[in-house]
Amino acid sequence: MRSCVVVMAVVLGLGAALPGPLEPTPRFHSRRQAGPSLGDLIQEFALDISSVSWSEQGNMVLSPFSITSLLSMLLLGTSGTTYHELRSALLYPATAEDSAVHTSYQALTQSLIQDNPGMLVSIANRLYLQTGVNVLAAFSQDAQRYYGISVRELNFAQNPNGARDAINAWVSRETRGKIPRLLNFVSPQTTALAVNTVYFKGAWETPFQKRTTHPSTFNTGTQNITVPMMSSMMKVPYLDLPDANAEMIALPYQGRQFAMFFIVPRGPVTLNTLLELEFYLDADTLNRHISNMRDVQMNVFVPRMSINYKADLADTLKRLKVTSLFDSVRGDFSRMTTDKVMVDRVIHETIIDITEEGTEAAAATATDLNRIGTSRSFTVDRPALMFIRELRTGAPLFWGRLVQPEPLLD
């Protein structure tokens, strides 16, 4: 069984609001051909936010869906420069009405939520307010309608540690204990704190067998490390990418609504090779490659690993020209509250565990496949791109760079 957990929190503090100049968000990929679908727009945002984070040398795994849904919820409450900066960064077409954007998120969220044998996806949103803060009724109603936001009051001013503990306890419950302490501190100046959680747990359609997992070498580009390497012979979607000097594989989950993809470059084992591969991609290119994948029987080798990533995305969003959101003077939340507020922090935490497990019936099928010989293989033993995609909408639930896996032991 594989589990993925992401939590994102936006912390708003006291400030003042005045209009300011608007700068368009720069385009970070030379070929931007995203179609009108929300899934494509979220994918392009994922590539943009990853592009401006290239200075990070290690693993980086985000939930583009989590980030964009929470920012879109904030869009409901902003005006002026703050509103236009958010819309520009989120890549929403100028011709798209706000109501269409929010309705699309409502529909996408409902399509992602799953509670079936072998597949569990839960999404929760909550807005914590300082006791007595005046939040406009229209904002509360729309946030509940489109994003399922539940609102709770906490006394940040007089009991910030108690507020922190209450939020951490809720996050821990929603993530099944995977993220027990999202917040280390909460400022007494906090007026509102918005949290989005995504919990994903899926069984492979064709699981790996624990008896075939063995220690193997993973080349990070700077050193060789030993990881437990899962292995199995299976029929999986595969595509050679000669233009990118890479190859791609998909590992579907039960039901084939979701799949995990790995894109492994063939060039020198360096971070630059991985970044060049990512720069090569856009939503249209990725869609085309995925549609061209064909089932191939091969030996598949994937590390049994855990990937943990936590960051304050404030500086990252500023590099996407979302600046007034964090400015005590220029931030405009006049459609959310009559109080003067600004965003203080954008905390994002992702935990991904990859193991062999699947259902008992699927395991029997995998045992049979292991008896068939083939010389073809796909091995994740070097830095690679990895993502989990909802296959009907193309929405990336998770997107990231795998540079150094953390061995996940029994």
Side-chain angles (χ1 to χ4, degrees):
M1 192 74 73
R2 149 188 181 78
S3 63
C4 307
V5 180
V6 62
V7 174
M8 182 175 175
V10 175
V11 184
L12 291 89
L14 294 171
L18 291 173
L22 173 63
E23 296 182 42
T25 299
R27 299 282 60 87
F28 294 94
H29 290 80
S30 56
R31 300 175 301 167
R32 171 139 351 244
Q33 301 178 31
S37 78
L38 182 57
D40 283 353
L41 295 176
I42 296 174
Q43 180 62 69
E44 289 289 357
F45 179 85
L47 291 167
D48 277 355
I49 205 167
S50 186
S51 294
V52 297
S53 303
W54 280 0
S55 61
E56 298 188 26
Q57 298 298 305
N59 300 325
M60 192 198 74
V61 181
L62 303 166
S63 173
F65 168 78
S66 176
I67 298 170
T68 56
S69 63
L70 202 56
L71 293 179
S72 296
M73 185 275 294
L74 289 179
L75 193 69
L76 285 168
T78 59
S79 295
T81 298
T82 307
Y83 168 85
H84 290 292
E85 286 179 351
L86 273 175
R87 265 197 74 118
S88 180
L90 291 166
L91 307 170
Y92 298 146
T95 55
E97 297 287 341
D98 278 4
S99 59
V101 170
H102 300 306
T103 300
S104 295
Y105 262 101
Q106 182 184 36
L108 177 58
T109 300
Q110 291 304 313
S111 71
L112 293 176
I113 295 173
Q114 301 290 319
D115 189 2
N116 302 312
M119 178 57 62
L120 175 62
V121 182
S122 65
I123 298 167
N125 296 287
R126 180 165 285 187
L127 179 63
Y128 292 95
L129 300 175
Q130 167 63 33
T131 303
V133 165
N134 180 30
V135 173
L136 301 179
F139 171 81
S140 296
Q141 292 167 3
D142 287 344
Q144 170 61 39
R145 174 186 175 188
Y146 295 117
Y147 298 95
I149 288 280
S150 62
V151 180
R152 296 289 186 275
E153 287 191 355
L154 293 173
N155 197 334
F156 295 103
Q158 295 183 2
N159 189 8
N161 290 340
R164 175 203 62 199
D165 293 344
I167 295 167
N168 284 340
W170 180 79
V171 168
S172 183
R173 287 194 301 272
E174 292 297 325
T175 61
R176 279 63 171 177
K178 296 292 289 186
I179 299 180
R181 191 176 177 85
L182 173 70
L183 302 173
N184 292 322
F185 71 94
V186 172
S187 168
Q189 299 299 314
T190 300
T191 55
L193 196 152
V195 185
N196 168 274
T197 68
V198 178
Y199 179 84
F200 177 102
K201 188 172 186 178
W204 302 120
E205 181 180 71
T206 304
F208 297 87
Q209 298 300 298
K210 286 188 176 182
R211 61 182 173 80
T212 62
T213 300
H214 60 278
S216 188
T217 298
F218 187 100
N219 183 353
T220 70
T222 59
Q223 62 177 327
N224 289 330
I225 62 173
T226 300
V227 298
M229 187 71 74
M230 306 184 300
S231 64
S232 183
M233 187 173 293
M234 57 180 74
K235 185 175 286 188
V236 291
Y238 171 84
L239 185 66
D240 182 42
L241 304 174
D243 290 346
N245 195 25
E247 56 182 343
M248 177 168 66
I249 196 175
L251 299 177
Y253 295 100
Q254 288 185 19
R256 287 218 166 196
Q257 182 180 349
F258 298 88
M260 164 164 264
F261 293 79
F262 288 97
I263 308 180
V264 180
R266 292 195 179 97
V269 185
T270 66
L271 183 58
N272 283 339
T273 300
L274 195 60
L275 301 181
E276 289 169 4
L277 171 61
E278 194 169 31
F279 188 79
Y280 158 81
L281 296 171
D282 60 14
D284 181 70
T285 302
L286 199 58
N287 290 339
R288 186 173 67 253
H289 288 332
I290 290 174
S291 67
N292 288 334
M293 298 182 82
R294 296 294 180 266
D295 283 353
V296 175
Q297 190 153 292
M298 56 175 45
N299 291 303
V300 178
F301 301 87
V302 176
R304 189 181 203 273
M305 59 183 167
S306 180
I307 303 174
N308 300 339
Y309 180 79
K310 184 175 184 178
D312 183 346
L313 298 180
D315 286 342
T316 300
L317 290 171
K318 289 174 185 177
R319 289 193 287 270
L320 290 177
K321 302 302 181 183
V322 179
T323 58
S324 65
L325 197 73
F326 307 97
D327 193 304
S328 62
V329 175
R330 296 172 57 226
D332 186 345
F333 293 88
S334 56
R335 293 197 297 161
M336 178 188 296
T337 177
T338 56
D339 293 293
K340 304 302 183 183
V341 301
M342 68 173 205
V343 170
D344 181 38
R345 293 181 292 158
V346 181
I347 304 161
H348 188 81
E349 183 166 4
T350 306
I351 296 177
I352 296 181
D353 291 340
I354 301 178
T355 68
E356 302 92 343
E357 295 177 3
T359 66
E360 185 174 354
T365 302
T367 301
D368 290 337
L369 285 173
N370 278 330
R371 296 172 184 161
I372 304 171
T374 179
S375 60
R376 301 194 67 172
S377 65
F378 183 97
T379 305
V380 182
D381 61 357
R382 60 190 300 171
L385 297 180
M386 56 182 290
F387 56 99
I388 295 179
R389 180 178 171 109
E390 203 281 330
L391 299 177
R392 290 180 293 191
T393 63
L397 202 56
F398 297 90
W399 178 274
R401 298 192 293 265
L402 169 64
V403 176
Q404 182 168 329
E406 180 69 27
L408 185 59
L409 305 175
D410 287 326

